[in-house]
Amino acid sequence: MSQGLFVDRRQRSVRICMTTHIPIYLANDFIAEKQSNGQGYYLQMQADAELTGFLKYLAAESGKIIRPYFRSKISVEQKADNSPVTIADRKTEERLRDLIMKQFPGHGIIGEEFGETNPGAEYRWVLDPIDGTKSFISGALSFGTLIALVHNGQSIIGAFNQPILNELLIGDGSTTRLNDSIVKVRQCESLSDAVLLTTDHLHFERYQRREPFEELIRKVKMYRNWGDCYGYYLLSTGFADVMIDPIMNLWDTAALVPIVRGADGTITDYHGSDPMKGGSIVAAVPGIHAEVILILNSGK
């Protein structure tokens, strides 16, 4: 973070520009609400850059913790929901929480491992320190760290970091960049040309309906279980066309929404509604998303 100081006023993040001394309110679209001498657009860009820089810093710090544990002999515990957790998950979330609270003490935080802090905050950070822990403990690369900033229930910027491959996606709903290069979903207008991904085939029978999903499988070109957050990475960078998870938590979802949208993808819940509220995700290239939703909900 350079040339500025973030403070918290009335639960709103305010940066005092050290060159103009004008407060920049990081609102839903990061517009500089206080303008002077026609510098509003410049200040908006400056605020965007500093928030992106902070996300990069969080990603870098999380990677420093995760890398030494990857493909090492670490103990694995089972949580109450029977999902695995490791010291890498916990230490990473602790570090992210510490950095965020120092920078934005009035913001809230929701994390997979340590719950919610300051639940009434206007701005909330949503953290999944290792999305895809099962892959992580198995030595597979289909995992990553998810970080999002949510404003009044809507995710306004998100990051996905794969610390082993040094791949960092940051999206704000209008643009998504992979290591600073703009990425987009690819064109696909027919299911017969589509690559379909999911995390766990068994989840469809447990949480939605298996038969419509299997009908969808029969219609696509290729179906694979390259899932968790890495499936959304493949969609957003143009290597897959549909990624579906029939069950999701907020910490799984929040970072993915602005990333997929920023890459010109379409992301909803299982029924085509707000992905931040539905507890499931269907993300796809725009040309086939509506057809995917129709198939998944057929026969009701």
Side-chain angles (χ1 to χ4, degrees), residues 80-83 134 198-213 244-249 252 269-271 278-281 296-297 300:
D81 63 357
N82 207 36
S83 63
K134 291 179 181 178
T198 191
T199 301
D200 190 333
H201 191 97
L202 296 177
H203 283 175
F204 290 89
E205 187 166 10
R206 292 174 185 167
Y207 301 108
Q208 299 291 344
R209 291 185 304 138
R210 176 176 52 84
E211 292 82 4
F213 180 69
I244 303 174
D245 275 305
I247 182 72
M248 293 282 268
N249 292 298
D252 303 313
D269 72 357
Y270 215 76
H271 308 288
S280 57
I281 290 292
L296 292 176
N297 291 275
K300 287 188 174 181

Side-chain angles (χ1 to χ4, degrees), residues 111-125:
E112 180 175 8
E113 308 307 334
F114 297 106
E116 188 166 8
T117 301
N118 195 12
E122 180 180 355
Y123 289 91
R124 298 188 297 170
W125 295 82

Side-chain angles (χ1 to χ4, degrees), residues 179-200:
N179 296 342
D180 294 326
S181 295
I182 292 176
V183 292
K184 299 291 183 183
V185 300
R186 64 188 180 188
Q187 295 294 313
C188 181
E189 301 296 332
S190 172
L191 286 176
S192 62
D193 296 324
V195 174
L196 166 65
L197 307 178
T198 191
T199 301
D200 190 333

Side-chain angles (χ1 to χ4, degrees), residues 120-182:
E122 180 180 355
Y123 289 91
R124 298 188 297 170
W125 295 82
V126 183
L127 309 174
D128 192 343
I130 300 180
D131 182 76
T133 300
K134 291 179 181 178
S135 295
F136 176 75
I137 62 178
S138 301
L141 292 167
S142 53
F143 72 91
T145 299
L146 296 175
I147 306 167
L149 178 60
V150 173
H151 177 248
N152 290 334
Q154 293 302 310
S155 187
I156 54 179
I157 193 166
F160 156 84
N161 187 53
Q162 214 302 335
I164 310 304
L165 301 176
N166 293 314
E167 294 175 326
L168 174 61
L169 273 178
I170 296 179
D172 63 5
S174 60
T175 303
T176 294
R177 288 179 168 85
L178 171 61
N179 296 342
D180 294 326
S181 295
I182 292 176

Side-chain angles (χ1 to χ4, degrees), residues 102-117:
K102 286 179 179 176
Q103 193 70 31
F104 300 105
H107 285 197
I109 299 176
I110 302 173
E112 180 175 8
E113 308 307 334
F114 297 106
E116 188 166 8
T117 301

